[in-house]
Amino acid sequence: MSAPLSEDLTMEYKDYYKVLGVDKGATEAEIKKAFRKLARTHHPDVAKDKAGSEAKFKEINEAYEVLGDSEKRKRYDAMGPGWNQGGAGYGGGGSWAGGGGDYEFGGTGFSDFFERFFGAQGQRPSGGGFGNEFGGGASGYGPRRGRDIEGDIMVTLTEAMEGSQRTISLRQQDPRTGQSKVREVEVRIPAGVGEGQRLRVPGHGSAGTGGGAAGDLFLRIRLAADPIFRVKGHDLYCDLSLAPWEAVLGATIPVLLPGGKSVQVKIPAGTGCDDQLRLRGYGLPKKSAPGDLYVEISVAVPANPDAEELALWEKLREVSKFKPRED
């Protein structure tokens, strides 16, 4: 079931700095570091409490969606905790800001607060009026198609890999009567969806007038930021840090895949920093062939070697015929 929708315009202010555990003056790097640490802890693929971790993971993503974007962060900071005092909160273009029968969404993975001020609820009229949605009469201009409605939906990388079924709630309030109407829509998220892609759900927009057809519902995919994988088209990228001896001698190392599984990867001897290993077919699905997973290599330096280790490194320096590799 989707999350319940708010019953009025009063909603809780979301303290995104508190969600990420950073100060308001935190740098971009500090915000990213805090997000990655929390997201790794609460990632649904690894957490024991799947239901609780999924909600927390989406809350962390929402906070990073705002604080990790310089323009959104400026708007958020200017808004402040007093956003709903003195009409200050209605400049954000949110779900109720437009008036005229706008929709409020539930079950999209975003809070009401985010939807109101940072969502994509476009309310782009495409004909039709408000009347038939609440039993009003038709206009005098013949059948008119209902308008399309649009919103964002947060999709995790696992959902993008495997596909999923989601229930979205839509609530609309008649500004003339204050009457609300809530309906639920089943939405299929196909495997392989990408950032910015729009899913069309026919006939679930606003009702038409005078016997006209209903508009459509469009949901724009927003891929949840993942603490391990980066998405570029249908390809995935992740980082792998090697010990110096693993890079020099080669090794076989497990690499985590989306969904919590792993695959054993052979590291060739002589692998260096910034090398890439391509794992074919481990990216996002697509009709022709799935994308690939690129493992980007770095070599870690021991932070606190003891006396025995230092002696071995000294010996290696004496006997080594190392020459920098020319790329």
Side-chain angles (χ1 to χ4, degrees), residues 11 22 42 54 57 88 90 110 116 164 166-167 205 212 236 243 273 325:
M11 64 178 64
V22 297
H42 297 283
E54 183 177 354
F57 182 73
Y90 296 95
F110 293 105
R116 172 99 45 97
S164 70
R166 297 271 289 275
T167 301
L236 301 178
C273 285
R325 186 175 63 181

Side-chain angles (χ1 to χ4, degrees), residues 285-323:
K286 59 180 178 179
K287 290 183 178 180
S288 54
D292 300 324
L293 170 61
Y294 290 89
V295 181
E296 300 189 330
I297 301 296
S298 63
V299 178
V301 177
N304 298 297
D306 60 23
E308 183 180 6
E309 289 176 304
L310 285 173
L312 291 171
W313 284 110
E314 291 283 356
K315 181 65 176 177
L316 179 61
R317 181 170 62 181
E318 292 174 9
V319 302
S320 175
K321 298 179 177 60
F322 170 74
K323 292 182 179 180

Side-chain angles (χ1 to χ4, degrees), residues 214-235:
D216 297 330
L217 167 64
F218 289 92
L219 293 171
R220 188 177 68 175
I221 299 295
R222 304 290 292 274
L223 284 181
D226 193 276
I228 299 173
F229 301 98
R230 300 177 294 279
V231 182
K232 297 181 181 179
H234 283 78
D235 294 329

Side-chain angles (χ1 to χ4, degrees), residues 133-144:
E133 189 78 14
F134 291 88
S139 68
Y141 300 98
R144 297 183 66 184

Side-chain angles (χ1 to χ4, degrees), residues 157-192:
L157 183 56
T158 301
E159 286 181 302
M161 290 288 294
E162 302 173 357
S164 70
Q165 193 81 13
R166 297 271 289 275
T167 301
I168 304 302
S169 295
L170 299 172
R171 180 166 75 88
Q172 187 182 31
Q173 186 178 55
D174 187 336
R176 299 169 299 182
T177 65
Q179 178 185 1
S180 293
K181 180 177 181 179
V182 180
R183 52 191 167 96
E184 293 188 337
V185 180
E186 292 295 323
V187 177
R188 186 181 72 86
I189 299 172

